[in-house]
Amino acid sequence: MTSCKLILRNVRKNMRDHLIYFLTLMISVSMFYAFNSLSDQTAFSDLSATKVLLYEQLDRLMGLLSVVIAVVLAFLIVYADRFLLRRRKKELGIYMMSGMKKGRISRLFAAETLCVGLFSLAAGLILGLFLSQGVSMLSIRLFAADLSDYRFVLSGEALRQTALCFAVIFFLVMIFNVRTVSSVKLIDLLSAERKSETSEKWNKPFMVILFLLSLTSLSISCAMFLKNGILPSREDLDFQTASVLLVIGLLLFFYSVANVILRALQTNRSFYLRGLNTFLVRQISGKIRTDHLILSIICGLLTVTICALSVGTATALAMNELAQASAPYDLNVLSQVDIDGDTDIAGYLRTQGIEIDDHAEQASQISIRQADLTYGELFEGQDLNLWEIDRPVPSSPVFALSLSDFNRALSMQGKEPYHLKGNEFLLNCNYEGTMEYVKTALERCPSLTIAGVELKRASDTVLTETWYMTSVGNNDRGTLILPDHIAEKLVKEMNVLLVQYKDGADSAGLLEKLLPIGLDDTHGYRYAEKEMMYDAYFGSNALIVFLCLYLGVTFLLICAALLALKQLTETADSIRRFRLLQKLGASRRQISRTLFWQTAVFFLAPLALAGILSSVFLRKAMETVEEFMNMHISTNVLFAAVLFLIIYGVYFLATYLSCRRIVLEQRKDPQKKYPS
């Protein structure tokens, strides 16, 4: 038989053994291509200068991250290839007994790896081509680019990078195969399946002590992270101490938990002695004890994955919802009354060569006033835990707005006006950093004294209107809406000119004229423009979302693949045990059920602990992102759950079916009929 025919026959024959290897390669290639093809999407060609700068930063970060991911995937692929080599050692030993030279065996195995690799690369690129379109659509939304410019793009540069990266990885794998096959002895190949793990004696009290120490270490670590946050600090070593305790806790937990659970189950004899439960419990206990190091690593990676995916998804959803609510006008220009006086803003702009009427469909000036009441007095009796940016708020006067100004602002948004009696007030707030405190204050204060007049609340509900623009998610920490005759008694803080553009207005030209006014420190004029707000907001936050999603999906893939490969390797090593069970009369159904639960526990063990740890860290991660972005993001684990079901579930199912086939196919050998 020629080498070519032998290679093709072996690839077809062992295709089911290559399932996990092929799946890992295909998903890795598709992700690598999808995230590296972003730079060729035509929708990003017309980004503003701010977005271009941020997009270039994202592209640079993705490039650096791709290098790290490529190294990790190379390790993963080499690890997967080791399983395939281990699975076929007896076959290679037969080749050597038939007189085939080691050099030719190495070339055959390398060629088979290359065939599977090329097939995986092709399938991965096809999948990546469609996946990249979804990633492009997501990035367009995150960068608030024009969706009409979206095109179905085939990125030649991403194809080149992906092909080059995986060509290097395949080359390393083939070198590893050649070296392994060339150095192995014939006796090792023929007796590979007879080798099994040796049982060890464990001191029961010692294992219980280690288990309790692991729980103590993990508890202290979580408590320290909850108290001090999840970011390192130069001032103290609390973060480093908590991290060390977390690592020690994970290692001790997986090192001792199997023995503790084994002893606990042995006391329940009705369960332990039923069917193949004795074999199953000891198998699981042995696997977890043997693989405690890799299970600890996978548990840590899964914790990072759950947090990254949840934070990335929640941030993306909050960004789009918050941005639309925070920018109801195209432009507003603010003027500090204590610097510029109580001036007409449109008139001042006219003196600077800016005719607002030429650009505006609607324009209206309103006045923000200072109530003779501070936020600290409004929030009296509450335990405040404000974000860092809001620390000065309690000592600041509460903003106040006349009812007529408030209604004019809402009228420009096409909303219905509110009504007040002469002795009533309303309270408005749309800022998540103070929302709960404002709600509590309204509940506790049925009346307030403003400008010497006692006013009653007109509603038990806090309004959430946006009546002027500052930055996304940072509009109104709490504003009193007062009758006009009360508001006129209060000191003006600033004037605000609200503008809605005409259709076809030259907003870029207007911003060029406004730029020197906003930079003039001798005057108190500042402006906020919708497109500029979107540029900075979506661009900067898109970096966080993309990195979280990319890292989360990649780590999830790595964890699932490592678990699958470890389980396949351990099952292949336990063939003799399963053969013995078959000889003792265990049915096919019992064997299948045992393999199912063995695989399920192996997959769920690190995920269960990761779920508990992530519930702790996710809270602090959300708080860190909220404080950094000055907005509230609700925990959204639906996207993370769906990804886990897809990737983790597919790997679990593929692993179980492969393990089942490895074990049950052995049963056919004793039943073969040979001619006499």
Side-chain angles (χ1 to χ4, degrees):
M1 180 180 293
T2 63
S3 296
C4 185
K5 289 183 178 180
L6 184 60
I7 291 169
L8 294 177
R9 192 197 70 172
N10 285 343
V11 169
R12 287 195 302 269
K13 183 182 71 173
N14 297 300
M15 186 55 69
R16 290 182 295 181
D17 283 339
H18 288 84
L19 178 60
I20 300 296
Y21 185 64
F22 170 76
L23 191 63
T24 302
L25 276 175
M26 184 181 69
I27 298 177
S28 302
V29 169
S30 64
M31 283 181 52
F32 198 87
Y33 170 83
F35 281 93
N36 282 280
S37 64
L38 284 175
S39 58
D40 289 338
Q41 177 53 243
T42 55
F44 298 117
S45 59
D46 295 327
L47 292 178
S48 64
T50 305
K51 288 182 181 176
V52 167
L53 179 62
L54 292 166
Y55 181 69
E56 289 175 351
Q57 292 294 324
L58 173 63
D59 196 41
R60 192 173 294 111
L61 283 171
M62 294 296 289
L64 293 174
L65 193 59
S66 294
V67 174
V68 177
I69 297 300
V71 173
V72 175
L73 288 176
F75 162 77
L76 185 62
I77 292 170
V78 170
Y79 190 86
D81 194 69
R82 284 181 59 191
F83 162 72
L84 296 176
L85 181 62
R86 192 170 185 172
R87 178 92 169 100
R88 299 179 59 196
K89 276 187 174 182
K90 185 174 181 180
E91 176 187 343
L92 298 179
I94 295 175
Y95 288 156
M96 292 178 64
M97 288 184 63
S98 63
M100 190 178 292
K101 301 295 184 182
K102 285 186 177 180
R104 188 184 176 192
I105 296 175
S106 300
R107 289 192 296 272
L108 286 174
F109 201 88
E112 291 178 30
T113 303
L114 180 61
C115 286
V116 176
L118 290 175
F119 186 50
S120 304
L121 181 62
L125 287 175
I126 294 173
L127 177 62
L129 183 61
F130 292 97
L131 179 62
S132 66
Q133 309 312 311
V135 173
S136 296
M137 293 285 286
L138 174 63
S139 60
I140 289 172
R141 292 293 301 275
L142 291 177
F143 279 95
D146 189 356
L147 195 60
S148 63
D149 293 333
Y150 166 79
R151 299 290 183 274
F152 190 91
V153 175
L154 176 63
S155 174
E157 179 61 21
L159 280 173
R160 186 189 67 80
Q161 291 179 1
T162 306
L164 178 62
C165 173
F166 283 88
V168 172
I169 293 176
F170 293 150
F171 180 71
L172 293 175
V173 169
M174 287 189 288
I175 291 178
F176 171 81
N177 288 342
V178 171
R179 181 177 176 276
T180 302
V181 174
S182 300
S183 60
V184 76
K185 296 180 180 179
L186 177 60
I187 187 64
D188 293 330
L189 293 174
L190 294 177
S191 62
E193 68 174 17
R194 294 179 179 273
K195 295 182 178 180
S196 183
E197 55 187 41
T198 58
S199 60
E200 299 181 46
K201 299 294 183 181
W202 301 91
N203 185 280
K204 179 181 176 181
F206 180 66
M207 282 297 152
V208 172
I209 292 173
L210 288 183
F211 180 71
L212 295 176
L213 281 176
S214 71
L215 296 181
T216 303
S217 180
L218 290 174
S219 300
I220 295 174
S221 175
C222 290
M224 293 182 68
F225 278 121
L226 282 176
K227 179 182 178 182
N228 305 303
I230 58 173
L231 295 179
S233 173
R234 295 182 179 180
E235 285 74 21
D236 53 57
L237 299 177
D238 288 338
F239 176 84
Q240 290 82 352
T241 304
S243 300
V244 171
L245 287 174
L246 179 64
V247 172
I248 293 174
L250 286 175
L251 290 173
L252 291 179
F253 180 83
F254 285 106
Y255 184 74
S256 60
V257 68
N259 188 267
V260 172
I261 293 177
L262 172 63
R263 300 303 178 190
L265 291 176
Q266 284 178 335
T267 60
N268 187 355
R269 304 188 70 81
S270 61
F271 168 82
Y272 187 69
L273 299 177
R274 185 189 309 151
L276 298 181
N277 286 351
T278 301
F279 175 80
L280 172 63
V281 171
R282 288 190 170 275
Q283 277 283 105
I284 294 174
S285 176
K287 304 311 176 190
I288 294 178
R289 192 166 55 227
T290 302
D291 300 322
H292 69 277
L293 178 59
I294 195 168
L295 287 176
S296 301
I297 295 173
I298 289 173
C299 181
L301 289 178
L302 284 176
T303 303
V304 175
T305 297
I306 295 172
C307 292
L309 289 177
S310 299
V311 169
T313 306
T315 303
L317 294 174
M319 280 169 55
N320 287 288
E321 180 181 349
L322 191 61
Q324 294 174 7
S326 298
Y329 312 107
D330 294 317
L331 170 72
N332 60 220
V333 183
L334 295 84
S335 171
Q336 292 286 342
V337 174
D338 60 343
I339 299 177
D340 300 301
D342 189 8
T343 59
D344 175 34
I345 297 176
Y348 172 78
L349 294 177
R350 198 173 296 114
T351 64
Q352 303 300 310
I354 303 174
E355 291 288 347
I356 286 292
D357 292 339
D358 294 342
H359 302 82
E361 179 72 28
Q362 298 181 69
S364 181
Q365 181 168 313
I366 63 175
S367 298
I368 303 175
R369 302 171 186 267
Q370 292 182 356
D372 49 354
L373 176 76
T374 65
Y375 284 101
E377 293 170 337
L378 182 65
F379 300 154
E380 187 177 0
Q382 300 187 53
D383 184 16
L384 301 182
N385 184 22
L386 299 170
W387 293 332
E388 188 64 34
I389 195 175
D390 299 323
R391 299 300 183 194
V393 166
S395 59
S396 304
V398 176
F399 276 177
L401 204 65
S402 69
L403 180 63
S404 58
D405 281 351
F406 187 62
N407 284 335
R408 276 206 309 275
L410 297 183
S411 176
M412 293 183 63
Q413 303 176 37
K415 295 183 177 181
E416 294 296 322
Y418 288 88
H419 301 281
L420 285 176
K421 295 179 181 179
N423 63 339
E424 292 181 334
F425 73 91
L426 290 167
L427 198 52
N428 187 82
C429 178
N430 58 22
Y431 180 57
E432 290 294 340
T434 56
M435 176 63 79
E436 291 302 319
Y437 306 123
V438 172
K439 287 181 178 179
T440 303
L442 186 62
E443 292 174 0
R444 294 181 177 181
C445 301
S447 64
L448 290 174
T449 301
I450 305 295
V453 180
E454 184 176 357
L455 303 176
K456 299 179 180 179
R457 63 189 179 198
S459 172
D460 296 335
T461 304
V462 175
L463 307 182
T464 57
E465 304 290 351
T466 300
W467 46 273
Y468 84 119
M469 302 187 304
T470 51
S471 62
V472 173
N474 190 19
N475 295 107
D476 186 358
R477 289 173 169 83
T479 300
L480 289 168
I481 312 301
L482 306 173
D484 288 9
H485 70 280
I486 301 295
E488 289 173 357
K489 299 179 182 181
L490 303 178
V491 177
K492 284 187 179 181
E493 168 76 10
M494 67 181 73
N495 292 317
V496 184
L497 178 65
L498 308 174
V499 180
Q500 297 285 26
Y501 290 150
K502 294 178 180 178
D503 291 338
D506 183 14
S507 59
L510 178 60
L511 285 177
E512 288 183 10
K513 296 178 181 179
L514 286 171
L515 185 61
I517 295 176
L519 297 175
D520 184 4
D521 292 332
T522 61
H523 293 82
Y525 291 95
R526 298 294 181 264
Y527 64 90
E529 204 268 345
K530 178 189 287 187
E531 292 303 320
M532 287 188 64
M533 289 168 55
Y534 277 14
D535 288 354
Y537 178 72
F538 280 100
S540 59
N541 294 341
L543 298 178
I544 298 175
V545 174
F546 258 98
L547 293 179
C548 285
L549 294 180
Y550 192 22
L551 282 174
V553 174
T554 303
F555 283 170
L556 177 58
L557 170 67
I558 291 170
C559 292
L562 282 175
L563 284 171
L565 294 168
K566 282 299 297 182
Q567 183 62 19
L568 286 170
T569 303
E570 301 291 352
T571 301
D573 289 343
S574 302
I575 286 296
R576 295 180 68 238
R577 298 178 182 179
F578 284 102
R579 281 184 179 177
L580 182 59
L581 287 177
Q582 293 167 9
K583 291 178 180 179
L584 292 174
S587 67
R588 187 185 186 92
R589 183 179 179 182
Q590 287 178 309
I591 295 292
S592 298
R593 186 167 58 245
T594 299
L595 283 170
F596 176 84
W597 285 111
Q598 178 178 312
T599 306
V601 171
F602 199 73
F603 268 75
L604 292 176
L607 181 59
L609 182 56
I612 297 173
L613 293 176
S614 62
S615 65
V616 176
F617 298 137
L618 187 57
R619 174 183 165 191
K620 298 304 295 183
M622 290 288 187
E623 291 178 1
T624 302
V625 174
E626 285 177 347
E627 187 167 346
F628 175 76
M629 300 171 65
N630 302 318
M631 71 176 192
H632 177 72
I633 52 177
S634 59
T635 304
N636 191 315
V637 296
L638 180 61
F639 181 75
V642 170
L643 271 180
F644 266 99
L645 287 176
I646 294 175
I647 297 180
Y648 216 68
V650 166
Y651 269 93
F652 164 72
L653 185 60
T655 304
Y656 164 66
L657 293 176
S658 296
C659 291
R660 184 174 179 272
R661 183 184 53 79
I662 289 173
V663 171
L664 294 182
E665 73 179 1
Q666 305 296 327
R667 196 172 183 181
K668 299 176 183 178
D669 295 341
Q671 298 176 352
K672 287 184 179 179
K673 301 293 184 179
Y674 295 96
S676 56

